[in-house]
Amino acid sequence: MQNNNNGTGSAFAIQPAGVMNQLPEQFFAKLVQDVNRQVAAGHDVINLGQGNPDQPTPPHIVEELREAAGNPQYHKYSPFSGYAFLKEAAAQRYKEDYNVDLDPETEVAILFGGKTGLIEISQIMLESGDICLVPDPGYPDYWSGVALSGAEMAFMPLTEDHAYLPDYSAIPPEVLERAKLMFLNYPNNPTSATAPYSFYEETVQFAKENQIVVASDFAYGAIGFDGEQPVSFLQVPGAKEVGVEFYTLSKTYNMAGWRVAFALGNKEIIRLINLMQDHVYVSLFGGIQAAAARALTDDQQCVKDLVAMYESRRNAFFEELEQIGWKAEAPKGSFFCWLPVPEGMGSREFATLLLEKAHVAVAPGIGFGTNGEGYVRIGLLTSEERLREAVRRIGKLNLF
């Protein structure tokens, strides 16, 4: 038999780049495993721990893709930075929804989902020795991009007594000196907090003074309750000078699996994103771009209906919470609820108890950062009936 070790006497060893050992642990992979284990054991698990929209994509968008798939033009490579019609559609949506003017060619980049852009901006802006300001608690994939860039993170605590907004005055001068990038996310995942216009005014001034690029993650920008529309960072004068906003179709149109998103704002950052993507991708399938443009430019009643559904679910859920004495602030945006755990319990311990005893899955707050401890995140991503049933099950444990 032929020896495949080339006579060296040792097995071939794969030696990955050092950065692969710096990537953060995918905390929620274990949550999925635990849920699947309970389901496999025959339990009816109500999974409120995920962030995956439960509704189908609106029919008119699906039909547009079906028709576009037969167009031979889209069977070829798409333009590297995407079709102009899709960038124009994104700019039109921002003008209609937020009265923000965007140049489709220079201030809009098409992304393979919002997560891609959030990873790319760290690789574009950061290198070893730089600091990125990251919300705590926050979306864990911010950490991934920073790790891949070789930079460091400095966490900005988001606390209830500060309305889950970062306190810029609390950031040490030595951190500000090295900080080059900052992530913000409102409506917020996981806390569901929203940010007022005045906060973004403060943010633009802070960014200019400290030469820090702002990355505004506006994934839940369409989902605001009680008649209040979430504020876009780009609505504030000067925002385009200091940063970009990331907008995705995943939540607004239930298109999470379609992987369509945008970076919008600062021309130089948009140029750099397109440059990086020129080396990594050829743009999205043209049929998907056509369907995405239809979503953005067609009647927006489907979005209004979706927001109304989430608001109705929120109201039903909090009605049941009141019945069992679980007190929490009702969300003003997003499709998440941020709930305190019982006194004396940790978030991981509480989540495990709910899964094993009530067969209700929630996301422990510690998975979003140190300041997430003491809370769990719940998604309004199942029917009102199932949300009410989940709370009733939890109520039987007599924890509140």
Side-chain angles (χ1 to χ4, degrees):
M1 179 183 293
Q2 184 177 356
N3 189 332
N4 290 325
N5 63 22
N6 297 320
T8 63
S10 60
F12 185 83
I14 302 297
Q15 296 292 335
V19 69
M20 298 304 295
N21 297 319
Q22 304 302 316
L23 290 174
E25 179 186 0
Q26 284 289 354
F27 181 87
F28 294 99
K30 183 180 184 303
L31 175 62
V32 172
Q33 292 172 358
D34 292 343
V35 169
N36 290 341
R37 192 176 300 114
Q38 290 289 328
V39 172
H43 298 295
D44 172 30
V45 175
I46 302 177
N47 190 351
L48 307 182
Q50 60 187 358
N52 198 359
D54 65 305
Q55 296 296 296
T57 305
H60 66 282
I61 303 172
V62 176
E63 183 57 35
E64 187 70 26
L65 173 62
R66 186 177 289 114
E67 292 183 14
N71 185 342
Q73 175 187 351
Y74 299 141
H75 300 171
K76 304 175 182 178
Y77 290 122
S78 299
F80 271 64
S81 62
Y83 283 101
F85 66 73
L86 180 52
K87 289 181 277 190
E88 290 164 2
Q92 176 184 327
R93 177 55 36 221
Y94 257 70
K95 179 63 176 176
E96 292 183 9
D97 287 352
Y98 308 109
N99 197 29
V100 171
D101 291 306
L102 292 163
D103 180 340
E105 191 55 37
T106 63
E107 295 180 334
V108 179
I110 297 171
L111 306 171
F112 285 75
K115 176 175 177 175
T116 299
L118 295 169
I119 299 295
E120 288 174 343
I121 194 166
S122 288
Q123 296 174 296
I124 287 166
M125 295 304 308
L126 301 171
E127 57 191 359
S128 179
D130 293 333
I131 284 178
C132 181
L133 301 176
V134 180
D136 176 9
Y139 181 49
D141 280 326
Y142 304 148
W143 314 342
S144 304
V146 178
L148 287 168
S149 73
E152 302 169 33
M153 290 189 293
F155 290 103
M156 301 183 294
L158 307 185
T159 59
E160 185 176 4
D161 60 3
H162 207 264
Y164 297 109
L165 301 171
D167 181 358
Y168 296 140
S169 67
I171 301 173
E174 62 271 20
V175 171
L176 292 178
E177 189 174 334
R178 292 168 54 202
K180 286 185 64 180
L181 178 66
M182 172 174 64
F183 284 104
L184 298 175
N185 169 221
Y186 297 97
N188 184 258
N189 176 16
T191 70
S192 75
T194 55
Y197 186 89
S198 58
F199 168 75
Y200 287 125
E201 289 181 311
E202 179 189 359
T203 296
V204 169
Q205 185 62 33
F206 170 77
K208 286 181 178 179
E209 290 175 356
N210 295 283
Q211 295 293 294
I212 297 172
V213 168
V214 177
S216 169
D217 178 2
F218 204 40
Y220 305 92
I223 306 174
F225 301 137
D226 306 314
E228 295 292 325
Q229 182 188 52
V231 177
S232 163
F233 163 70
L234 294 180
Q235 287 178 274
V236 175
K240 288 196 287 188
E241 297 174 33
V242 299
V244 292
E245 187 154 83
F246 295 94
Y247 187 87
T248 172
L249 275 60
S250 294
K251 283 77 180 180
T252 309
Y253 303 99
N254 291 315
M255 293 174 66
W258 298 55
R259 312 312 302 141
V260 187
F262 307 93
L264 313 110
N266 184 275
K267 292 182 179 181
E268 179 60 11
I269 297 174
I270 297 301
R271 184 189 72 81
L272 292 169
I273 288 174
N274 280 326
L275 176 61
M276 169 171 276
Q277 295 194 150
D278 281 351
H279 289 273
V280 181
Y281 310 114
V282 175
S283 192
L284 292 167
F285 170 53
I288 287 181
Q289 294 191 52
R294 173 79 182 274
L296 291 163
T297 58
D298 209 348
D299 183 86
Q300 298 297 292
Q301 187 60 46
C302 63
V303 180
K304 296 173 185 175
D305 292 344
L306 183 70
V307 173
M309 182 196 72
Y310 285 136
E311 185 165 347
S312 181
R313 288 179 177 182
R314 178 202 67 170
N315 295 343
F317 184 67
F318 274 80
E319 282 176 12
E320 292 297 332
L321 289 183
E322 187 174 351
Q323 294 298 315
I324 69 170
W326 193 355
K327 300 187 182 304
E329 186 79 21
K332 297 177 181 177
S334 84
F335 47 51
F336 294 122
C337 305
W338 191 236
L339 306 176
V341 306
E343 191 172 345
M345 295 188 75
S347 62
R348 200 190 308 251
E349 175 190 4
F350 180 58
T352 299
L353 176 67
L354 295 191
L355 181 59
E356 293 181 351
K357 301 300 183 182
H359 302 124
V360 174
V362 301
I366 190 64
F368 300 95
T370 303
N371 283 283
E373 185 53 270
Y375 297 85
V376 292
R377 189 195 74 178
I378 284 177
L380 300 168
L381 299 171
T382 188
S383 68
E384 289 184 25
E385 180 183 356
R386 293 285 278 176
L387 287 167
R388 289 182 183 275
E389 170 64 20
V391 178
R392 292 182 189 124
R393 291 185 189 181
I394 295 169
K396 292 177 181 178
L397 301 179
N398 297 314
L399 298 168
F400 302 97

